[in-house]
């Protein structure tokens, strides 16, 4: 059975030194990019697969539904992956479906709605709905370690500190 070694939400998905560093974690042998738009665009899919291969890891780009199927049918085979999504919503959907995640890193999310989005770290904006989903992932779905960290060398911000910004 495979496993999610690290889950990460970052709108940039695979990029630069961040992925080079993260893929050096013990046991990681693959990168799973889960994004419907990227997976359905042959050019973008090729770009992300190429970028991922530069880390030395097998890179699989798939839709949300394909990821769910791949977990249900194969339990991710023998892959120990870094699971990447662009949004908290997609990660939430995968975990609620049953994909087990113990560690979730929120790396980079741009502001979408100035009326609702709060800057919670230098690189992350989110709204109250996103905060509630992260809280639920931690409390109800067993995601033990949720933290905000743009790069591996940056200081970590805890989920607890971010939830306080929303009064949760």
């Amino acid at each position: 059975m495979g496993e999610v070694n690290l889950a990460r939400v970052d709108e940039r998905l695979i990029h630069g030194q961040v992925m080079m560093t993260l893929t050096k974690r013990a046991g990681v042998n693959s990168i799973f990019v889960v994004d419907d738009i990227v997976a359905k665009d042959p050019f973008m899919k090729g770009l992300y697969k190429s970028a991922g291969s530069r880390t030395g890891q097998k890179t699989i780009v798939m839709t949300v539904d394909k990821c769910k199927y791949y977990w249900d049918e194969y339990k991710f085979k023998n892959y120990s992956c870094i699971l990447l999504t662009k949004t908290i919503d997609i990660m939430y959907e995968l975990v609620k479906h049953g994909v087990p995640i113990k560690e979730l890193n929120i790396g980079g999310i741009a502001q979408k709605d100035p009326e609702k989005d709060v800057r919670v770290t230098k690189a992350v904006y989110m709204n109250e709905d996103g905060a509630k989903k992260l809280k639920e992932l931690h409390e109800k779905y067993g995601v033990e370690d949720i933290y905000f960290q743009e790069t591996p060398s940056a200081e970590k911000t805890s989920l607890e500190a971010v939830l306080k910004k929303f009064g949760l």
Side-chain angles (χ1 to χ4, degrees):
M1 184 168 99
E3 69 173 337
V4 177
N5 190 295
L6 171 68
R8 179 171 166 96
V9 174
D10 191 324
E11 290 180 343
R12 301 162 292 179
L13 295 171
I14 297 174
H15 62 94
Q17 288 303 106
V18 171
M19 288 311 297
M20 292 301 282
T21 303
L22 292 178
T23 57
K24 301 226 181 311
R25 291 171 64 107
V28 171
N29 63 14
S30 56
I31 301 169
F32 289 6
V33 175
V34 181
D35 186 84
D36 289 350
I37 294 170
V38 172
K40 292 175 182 177
D41 181 328
F43 177 74
M44 291 301 293
K45 185 175 181 177
L47 279 177
Y48 281 106
K49 286 180 84 165
S50 174
S53 70
R54 282 185 241 138
T55 68
Q57 306 300 331
K58 179 167 180 68
T59 303
I60 300 170
V61 180
M62 62 186 117
T63 64
V64 174
D65 286 342
K66 175 119 185 215
C67 184
K68 290 176 184 177
Y69 173 82
Y70 200 58
W71 175 254
D72 291 344
E73 293 298 315
Y74 303 107
K75 301 293 184 246
F76 292 169
K77 294 186 178 180
N78 63 342
Y79 292 112
S80 178
C81 70
I82 294 177
L83 179 67
L84 297 172
T85 68
K86 286 184 179 181
T87 68
I88 292 169
D89 290 344
I90 292 172
M91 193 64 72
Y92 178 81
E93 183 178 342
L94 294 174
V95 173
K96 274 190 70 172
H97 181 78
V99 176
I101 292 171
K102 297 290 180 209
E103 181 181 353
L104 176 57
N105 167 230
I106 311 298
I109 303 172
Q111 185 179 44
K112 308 289 183 302
D113 183 348
E115 305 266 329
K116 295 180 181 176
D117 293 347
V118 174
R119 184 177 189 180
V120 296
T121 69
K122 180 179 156 193
V124 176
Y125 286 85
M126 57 189 278
N127 58 34
E128 187 173 344
D129 181 60
K132 286 178 178 177
K133 285 179 178 174
L134 292 177
K135 183 177 185 200
E136 185 178 338
L137 288 178
H138 178 66
E139 293 177 352
K140 185 176 178 184
Y141 292 98
V143 182
E144 297 167 6
D145 189 14
I146 300 175
Y147 58 92
F148 298 73
Q149 185 179 37
E150 183 180 11
T151 63
S153 61
E155 186 177 332
K156 287 183 180 181
T157 302
S158 70
L159 175 62
E160 182 181 1
V162 169
L163 293 177
K164 283 180 183 176
K165 293 182 182 205
F166 293 95
L168 300 173

